[in-house]
Amino acid sequence: GENVGLHLPTLSVQEGDNSIINCAYSNSASDYFIWYKQESGKGPQFIIDIRSNMDKRQGQRVTVLLNKTVKHLSLQIAATQPGDSAVYFCAENIIGGADGLTFGKGTHLIIQP
Amino acid sequence: KAGVTQTPRYLIKTRGQQVTLSCSPISGHRSVSWYQQTPGQGLQFLFEYFSETQRNKGNFPGRFSGRQFSNSRSEMNVSTLELGDSALYLCASSLERSAMNTEAFFGQGTRLTVV
């Protein structure tokens, strides 16, 4: 896949368990954060976003938590399914958008049957 | 509603050649951003176009260029190809400029291999 060769953190979870994927972002001025899922051979797919005026946002089976104090973002996936296997990226957008989206290196989530 | 369409899906070019990639954004979206994805560097921002004007540019050499047409379709061009340009090139479409913190939707990408 696209990330072969890049040493990605790997998270292996049992099907049905909850997953927590973490991301440390770099710029304290960033005010918009997004989680993307990328399956092999496909482009990144939007999962959920959060603005800096929020600490938590929930979607369907997913929750994003934002801790601005320590510049940390997490994605929680409830009751993981085989289809959740993918590489997950966090992205930040800097106020003014001078640099577009800045992506983290990604985490490879593996679902064990 | 059709998604973001990138053509071609796969491309093989020789060092020194030039290449043009195409992106059709979601209907009604006015911003198109381009990203390069490689195993070594991950996803990196190339540039963003909005209303036919380049708004932002990442840290890439001048060999990488692009344009946007009045129908919001965008092309990116890489001249004098190098082996290191082999990558997945992704296009993202959004309603407004990225500075507006608007949701971006990605295409499936063009896999460019330089030999």
Side-chain angles (χ1 to χ4, degrees):
Chain A
E2 288 79 17
N3 295 295
V4 171
L6 181 66
H7 179 63
L8 294 176
T10 299
L11 176 64
S12 184
V13 299
Q14 293 289 327
E15 182 179 349
D17 287 353
N18 298 333
S19 302
I20 300 177
I21 301 171
N22 296 303
C23 175
Y25 65 91
S26 56
N27 194 322
S28 56
S30 294
D31 65 346
Y32 181 55
F33 306 88
I34 314 165
W35 279 100
Y36 284 96
K37 170 187 179 183
Q38 187 173 25
E39 296 172 280
S40 183
K42 297 184 178 180
Q45 176 188 357
F46 175 93
I47 301 173
I48 192 168
D49 59 0
I50 188 168
R51 300 184 190 281
S52 58
N53 60 351
M54 302 172 70
D55 296 322
K56 179 180 179 179
R57 189 159 188 237
Q58 288 183 293
Q60 188 175 17
R61 279 201 311 119
V62 295
T63 301
V64 56
L65 298 177
L66 175 62
N67 185 330
K68 295 180 287 293
T69 303
V70 294
K71 293 190 288 187
H72 184 266
L73 197 65
S74 69
L75 176 70
Q76 300 177 2
I77 304 173
T80 49
Q81 304 166 358
D84 295 329
S85 290
V87 177
Y88 289 80
F89 294 95
C90 65
E92 59 184 296
N93 198 26
I94 298 169
I95 294 170
D99 297 316
L101 290 172
T102 300
F103 282 84
K105 293 297 184 185
T107 296
H108 190 186
L109 178 64
I110 297 171
I111 310 301
Q112 305 278 8
Chain B
K1 193 174 187 181
V4 180
T5 304
Q6 290 188 246
T7 57
R9 287 292 313 277
Y10 302 93
L11 206 49
I12 299 175
K13 288 286 188 178
T14 305
R15 273 183 299 175
Q17 287 187 311
Q18 68 92 26
V19 67
T20 299
L21 312 180
S22 179
C23 172
S24 293
I26 292 171
S27 178
H29 284 197
R30 299 190 293 166
S31 169
V32 173
S33 298
W34 288 89
Y35 292 82
Q36 182 196 64
Q37 186 174 32
T38 60
Q41 299 299 319
L43 272 155
Q44 293 186 290
F45 172 72
L46 279 157
F47 28 64
E48 177 181 12
Y49 285 87
F50 182 84
S51 295
E52 302 177 63
T53 303
Q54 187 180 94
R55 301 292 176 165
N56 299 311
K57 184 173 169 59
N59 189 26
F60 279 82
R63 299 185 297 107
F64 292 81
S65 63
R67 59 178 176 169
Q68 186 180 35
F69 302 94
S70 58
N71 62 357
S72 294
R73 190 178 70 85
S74 176
E75 290 180 346
M76 70 162 279
N77 185 78
V78 188
S79 62
T80 320
L81 284 165
E82 301 176 1
L83 295 179
D85 297 332
S86 295
L88 181 68
Y89 289 89
L90 291 158
C91 162
S93 151
S94 55
L95 201 55
E96 297 291 343
R97 291 179 57 188
S98 62
M100 302 296 288
N101 290 342
T102 182
E103 188 175 335
F105 297 86
F106 283 82
Q108 290 198 301
T110 294
R111 166 69 65 189
L112 172 66
T113 302
V114 182
V115 297

